[in-house]
Structures are given as C-alpha cells and as structure tokens.
Amino acid sequence: MTLWDITQAVRPGIPVWPGDTAYQEERVWTLGPGCPVNVSRLTLSTHTGTHADAPLHYDAAGLPIGAVDLVPYLGPCRLIDVTAGQGPVEPEELSGRLDDAPPRILLRTYRHFPHDSWITAFRAIDCATIERLAAAGARLIGVDAPSLDPEESKDLRAHDAVRRNVMAILEGLVLDAVPEGDYELIALPLKLAQADAAPVRAILRALPMATRAGA
Ligand SMILES: Nc1ccccc1C(=O)C[C@H](N)C(=O)O
Ligand SMILES: [Zn+2]
Ligand SMILES: [Zn+2]
C-alpha cells in the first residue's frame, strides 16, 4: 500500500508566518550516566508547518482544535492541481474537476513546495472558491499555502466563508509528489484542548476499491 507523506518536517529553521514564534527544541534531560532518557521541550506556534486551523482561530466563539469533529480529517479526498493559475484561486479553475468529488478537496498551488523559504506572495483562495467547494459538498479544504487568505489580509474572507459553511481547514500541506486524483486522507489534529490550531501528520493512501465512488 503506497503512502504519501504530505507533511512538512518540523525542525529548527522551519519557515513560519512573519513575526510568529520560531520553532525551538531544547533538551531538558540528556541521556547519560546519571539519566536514562532524552527529553526535550518544544516551543512552537500552533500554525507551524502542516496544521489544522480550529474555528477558534478566526472566530472568537469558535471551537478549539481539541473539540472539533474528526470526520472531515479522515476519508476520501480529491487532490486538484491549480499550479497553472496566478493570484487568488478562482472557482473557474475548478470547472469540470469537482464531478462526483469526495467531501475533502486538496489544492496544489506550488510546483515545488518552498521547504526552506517564506514565500510572501503565496496563492490565497478566493472566497467564491470556498463557496463553490461548499456547494459541491466539501467539508474540508486543504492547501499547500500557509493560509487560505493573503498574508496581508485583515478581513480573512476565505476563513470567514469556511466558518459560514462549517468546513475544516488544513494548511501547509506538501503536495508536490502526489499525482492528481482521489485518495484517502488521514490528517488528525493533535488534541490540544484549548488551542486555535494544531500540527497534523498528514498522509494520503490509495482508496480501497469498494469506496472508489463513495464519500
Ligand atoms: N501565525 C500567524 C500569525 C498571524 C496571522 C496569521 C498567522 C498564520 O499562521 C496564518 C494561519 N496559518 C492561518 O490560518 O491563516
Ligand atoms: Zn493556520
Ligand atoms: Zn488558516
């Protein structure tokens, strides 16, 4: 069974949102003559690397990530390549590509994921595209970009469309190596009880034959 690991490696130096917390590992206990273990302390933003936003991130009354329904993060999905476009991803770029789509849509905007650099001008998702996906039954949208909205956005229109349509969000996915098509998505957020987002280990695998047409 082929697995595609679509998760960024979380390591010191991983690019983070401008001004956000840099990822840090500190060794608190070190394995040696007087100590049987290595134990570290992590310091990181909840939006580090490949992660799931909680509704709390963009809605003061929204659920924290530890309380969200897990169903959107596990099951059939469709990976769609939109690298041919420029600027915010528009609904027209999905024309003819949502027929019988599963309820999870992953959009690839990078030909080569920028593992070691911060790209300010990443491709955001137009809120009309969120509405189009919701109308097609999508319960989750996943992107390789670090946000659904542009870096300088203050009104977060794409996140607000997600909020209104009660969808789940994955950001920072690494989709370069995966051919377009339908897969099983497994990307469960850490159960951080009060947090606004959480890292995920996101993978794709071939759909079992029986569910090729299912949702
Ligand atoms: N760390 C931040 C600090 C301020 C504003 C945005 C961010 C983000 O990380 C964007 C986030 N990933 C998002 O869900 O859009
Ligand atoms: Zn985020
Ligand atoms: Zn977001």
Side-chain angles (χ1 to χ4, degrees):
M1 166 78 72
T2 303
L3 287 182
W4 285 269
D5 185 356
I6 55 173
T7 314
Q8 294 179 57
V10 180
R11 77 280 182 195
I14 182 173
V16 298
W17 196 270
D20 205 356
T21 308
Y23 176 76
Q24 194 178 347
E25 295 174 18
E26 299 160 75
R27 189 60 58 78
V28 177
W29 279 280
T30 300
L31 196 156
C35 178
V37 292
N38 285 320
V39 177
S40 303
R41 175 192 295 120
L42 304 184
T43 304
L44 71 162
S45 163
T46 48
H47 295 257
T48 301
T50 307
H51 67 278
D53 284 0
L56 178 61
H57 176 55
Y58 43 86
D59 175 0
L63 287 177
I65 196 64
V68 299
D69 174 13
L70 295 180
V71 169
Y73 303 94
L74 180 65
C77 75
R78 177 166 296 174
L79 169 56
I80 300 174
D81 184 314
V82 291
T83 56
Q86 289 184 337
V89 179
E90 304 288 350
E92 294 70 28
E93 299 179 61
L94 305 182
S95 295
R97 306 166 85 175
L98 295 175
D99 297 345
D100 301 322
R104 301 165 190 82
I105 302 295
L106 310 183
L107 299 179
R108 174 170 57 215
T109 67
Y110 295 126
R111 286 195 172 79
H112 305 289
F113 187 87
H115 289 279
D116 300 318
S117 56
W118 179 263
I119 307 294
T120 291
F122 60 81
R123 291 196 70 197
I125 311 300
D126 189 286
C127 56
T129 302
I130 304 292
E131 298 292 351
R132 174 72 187 82
L133 292 174
R139 294 205 49 207
L140 173 137
I141 177 169
V143 293
D144 48 9
S147 180
L148 299 181
D149 286 292
E151 185 180 310
E152 69 285 351
S153 172
K154 297 301 179 209
D155 56 5
L156 297 191
R157 296 181 64 198
H159 284 82
D160 194 52
V162 162
R163 180 188 61 78
R164 282 184 279 101
N165 288 284
V166 194
M167 295 165 74
I169 299 172
L170 291 174
E171 292 167 338
L173 295 166
V174 182
L175 300 173
D176 305 21
V178 188
E180 279 193 300
D182 292 0
Y183 299 89
E184 183 179 25
L185 170 71
I186 302 170
L188 299 172
L190 290 181
K191 194 169 187 176
L192 304 180
Q194 301 172 0
D196 56 272
V200 301
R201 184 64 182 264
I203 61 172
L204 297 175
R205 64 182 183 184
L207 279 173
M209 290 302 285
T211 59
R212 292 280 156 102

